[in-house]
Amino acid sequence: MSEFKREDRYIVIKRSDLKKVPVSYRSSLVEPMFSLLSHLPRRECLVIESDWPEYESYWQMIERRMTGQPPVTAAEELEAVQHWRGKHALAVRERDALQQRLNAADQRIDELTAQQAESRMITLSGCEFSEHELLRTAVRMVTGTSRRGTLRWVAMKDAFCCGSGVAHALCRRFGFDPDETVKP
């Protein structure tokens, strides 16, 4: 028996997609298509979109029928269900993990925004700066002392005469990677 090949034999347009066709095209494309239907044989079809979990299993069923193989067994069907159930569970776990990261990032943004709003204003040489602005600029502009570069938190520790915990916290507060290498 010859090798099974999927064929592009039908033109299918989803009704909800027709509603998205601009009005200016409807009279020239959509309406003539409906009049064409009266000249074609009536067919009833089952359409399964490629993003549906059943898509590949139905292709497998059609391929088996066309190549003379026996239909899918209950065991194979169960295996397919378990496969997709596993994929679904993995996707749910990944989604939940991403949601937690997003929530943490939103909370961090809220904290930083609140800190920035609470920052006092300082006037230096007639120019006004917020404490937040000055600290952020210092963290951003800190440079290393070695030709090969210095970790940002080490440069912060040296610049602010503070411990490693405070240096790390300053970097993170202003959105910088403490372990980033800064050049002299």
Side-chain angles (χ1 to χ4, degrees):
M1 188 152 286
S2 66
E3 181 182 335
F4 176 75
K5 290 186 181 180
R6 296 180 182 185
E7 299 175 8
D8 185 8
R9 297 176 66 182
Y10 298 90
I11 297 172
V12 177
I13 301 173
K14 195 173 181 178
R15 289 182 187 275
S16 61
D17 291 339
L18 284 177
K19 294 176 185 172
K20 299 172 190 169
V21 173
V23 175
S24 58
Y25 289 108
R26 285 187 190 161
S27 60
S28 60
L29 295 175
V30 177
E31 291 168 9
M33 182 187 63
F34 283 119
S35 14
L36 177 65
L37 289 176
S38 64
H39 302 287
L40 299 174
R42 179 160 173 78
R43 287 193 168 83
E44 290 191 24
C45 302
L46 171 65
V47 177
I48 302 171
E49 293 189 45
S50 61
D51 60 344
W52 290 19
E54 300 88 354
Y55 183 77
E56 286 301 325
S57 61
Y58 276 93
W59 267 117
Q60 183 185 24
M61 289 168 59
I62 293 167
E63 180 177 355
R64 283 178 172 227
R65 185 172 65 82
M66 297 306 293
T67 57
Q69 297 177 28
V72 176
T73 65
E76 290 172 320
E77 195 65 39
L78 177 61
E79 184 182 322
V81 167
Q82 289 171 335
H83 168 78
W84 286 107
R85 187 176 291 153
K87 289 225 180 243
H88 180 262
L90 177 63
V92 167
R93 285 193 301 272
E94 289 174 353
R95 181 205 62 201
D96 291 346
L98 287 171
Q99 187 62 52
Q100 284 181 339
R101 288 180 59 197
L102 181 61
N103 291 347
D106 283 345
Q107 184 175 354
R108 185 73 183 129
I109 288 169
D110 291 344
E111 290 168 2
L112 290 173
T113 304
Q115 289 172 355
Q116 187 174 1
E118 295 169 3
S119 183
R120 290 184 301 165
M121 296 303 289
I122 301 171
T123 303
L124 301 169
S125 282
C127 298
E128 256 191 18
F129 300 94
S130 71
E131 288 177 337
H132 177 87
E133 201 177 325
L134 285 173
L135 279 171
R136 186 180 195 302
T137 301
V139 173
R140 182 172 49 88
M141 298 303 293
V142 74
T143 59
T145 54
S146 163
R147 282 189 330 197
R148 293 185 310 173
T150 305
L151 296 176
R152 185 177 293 278
W153 74 266
V154 174
M156 289 300 300
K157 186 172 78 80
D158 295 343
F160 282 87
C161 300
C162 61
S164 62
V166 171
H168 272 85
L170 278 168
C171 292
R172 284 192 299 273
R173 175 178 177 173
F174 296 102
F176 294 98
D177 179 4
D179 296 317
E180 170 187 26
T181 302
V182 290
K183 302 284 184 187

